[in-house]
Amino acid sequence: MAKDTKHLTKAFGSAVGDDQNSLTAGNRGPVLMQDVHLLEKLGHFDRERIPERVVHAKGAGAHGYFEVTADVTKYTKAKFLSKIGKKTDLFVRFSTVGGEKGSADAERDPRGFAVKFYTEEGNYDLVGNNTPVFFIRDPLKFPDFIHTQKRNPATNLKDPDMFWDFLSLTPESIHQVTILFSDRGTPATYRNMNGYSSHSYKWYNDKGEYFWVKYHFKTDQKVKNLTRQDADAMKSKDPDHATRDLYNSIKNGDFPSWTLEMQIMPQADAKDYRFDVFDITKVWPHNDYPPIKIGKMVLNRNPENYFAEVEQSAFAPSNFVPGIGPSPDKMLQGRLFSYHDTHIHRLGPNYHLIPVNQPKNAPEMSYQRDAFMRTDNNGGGGPNYWPNSFGGPAPDQSALEPPFAIEGKADRFAYQHPNDDFVQPGNLYRDVMSEQDKTNLIGNIVSHLGGAQKRIQLRQAAIFYKADKNYGTRVAEGLKLDIKQVEKLAAMSQEERAAETAK
Ligand code: NDP
């Protein structure tokens, strides 16, 4: 029956006669319980908000497609990458990380860069950031790290002491801190930033050979950033500036695009490379693993309803397709659990049935049944167990990941080569940044770190000094710290430095 869109109904379809005046006992009397329309309307409104994402709460999204531009079949058997010219639908969500859902788009923060490919072999999600590295490299540290970027439990205020105390006691963060406090920490818009997988992943081909890979989505709009002063002005002028920019450019037919470049490492290289290639605080130098252009991502359609498509979108790095799998990167291993788990909390166990999350080009054929909000036919009368002899869907061995070797003892290992933590941020500061980039970086750090206690400033300045003497000295000068003290702290081990600067 065609839907009657002209007449207002209650949720279950019966007609509403009056939507302006509650049912009362007499002209001025109290409202009656039997105004079931009012009760239903208020009851639904009271439950409109779903839990906010604990990270990446503020975001914007769009639909588009990915097109393959190079032959990568010798590296992966993923079908959506199998042919030059092949196009796959996708949905993307960009976000800030630490702020609440109503926070400003121009905050200094990494930007989330999550892509859902609706492939014919199921959904493939890539959940990246606009930075190629991350603050920490073990998932045990993640909840603590995020607490320090959020609000102080007593004051409910952002707290520079918490922020810098943790980072200065976690020196592996220095590379990401350097990128975050450069002007790349405040991208001009979502269209003007790159997206990186940050993690390494595994690609494997139809012969079972595998490779380690990193993804780089390079913006075709050019990288453009806001200075600290511009970002501060933007926060009050238009707190939603990046959301607005993305929506309006797509609405006006100016479709943003990104070129996907891959770094591909032969499997054997990982063993003896000069640092641990699975350590997410490190990049793979372009000279050793030159990025190869393999495709184009275009965003060409706005969501029709923000809540339905953006707020309810749910990405999980555990959503792989045959030909792609995880690397041993410990942060990635933690995220394989945490993303799916948080979506079950936020959206419920059947969040895969929400249209934006459905594997629309490869229908679900699982034996999962029931649970809250099962909105399809729940498998109908078909078998709900495996193995069965009633024609239910069967596992397909061609979907198996090739076996891979593992060695060693089970233990709690720290990543090796901790001194390497200072090499890449030092290179970034010395060799990549222009004089203007460096000046802005130092200014951005000084204005933020200046809010923390002196002992924390000293400890963090020593970390900058370890990355590069000029870098640390300029931060110390900006904060009016005693450079001799900074040098002394920089020469100490991490444990000695922590003890020396303890309260
Ligand atoms: P390259 O000189 O080949 O790479 C430098 C890269 O740095 C550029 O390609 C660009 O990456 C990025 N970049 C440019 N300006 C800035 C900036 N102001 N802030 C942050 N990144 C910037 O050398 P390497 O590959 O040996 O890397 C040197 C350093 O560059 C690394 O230690 C790392 O800090 C940084 N870097 C390296 C990346 C990599 O994957 N190798 C990626 C990004 C940064 P892009 O084109 O991706 O914007």
Side-chain angles (χ1 to χ4, degrees), residues 47 312 343-354 364 368-378:
R47 291 162 181 80
Q312 292 197 112
H343 300 320
I344 289 176
H345 160 66
R346 199 170 67 85
L347 301 165
N350 283 313
Y351 74 92
H352 59 289
L353 299 178
I354 297 170
E364 179 202 359
Q368 291 181 24
R369 295 288 187 276
D370 307 354
F372 285 118
M373 300 308 293
R374 185 83 214 193
T375 56
D376 64 355
N377 78 343
N378 195 29

Side-chain angles (χ1 to χ4, degrees), residues 289-303:
Y289 299 99
I292 304 165
K293 286 185 185 154
I294 74 139
K296 181 79 86 189
M297 176 173 91
V298 179
L299 299 182
N300 59 6
R301 183 162 61 88
N302 277 320

Side-chain angles (χ1 to χ4, degrees), residues 132 175 179 182 184 194 196 216 218 223 263 283-287 424-425 427-428 432-433 437:
H175 197 181
I179 296 175
S182 78
R184 286 197 175 201
N194 296 333
Y196 303 88
H216 303 244
K218 297 295 195 67
V223 170
Q263 285 186 290
V283 297
W284 297 352
H286 289 145
N287 266 348
Q424 293 194 346
N427 291 343
L428 175 62
V432 179
M433 289 191 175
D437 290 340

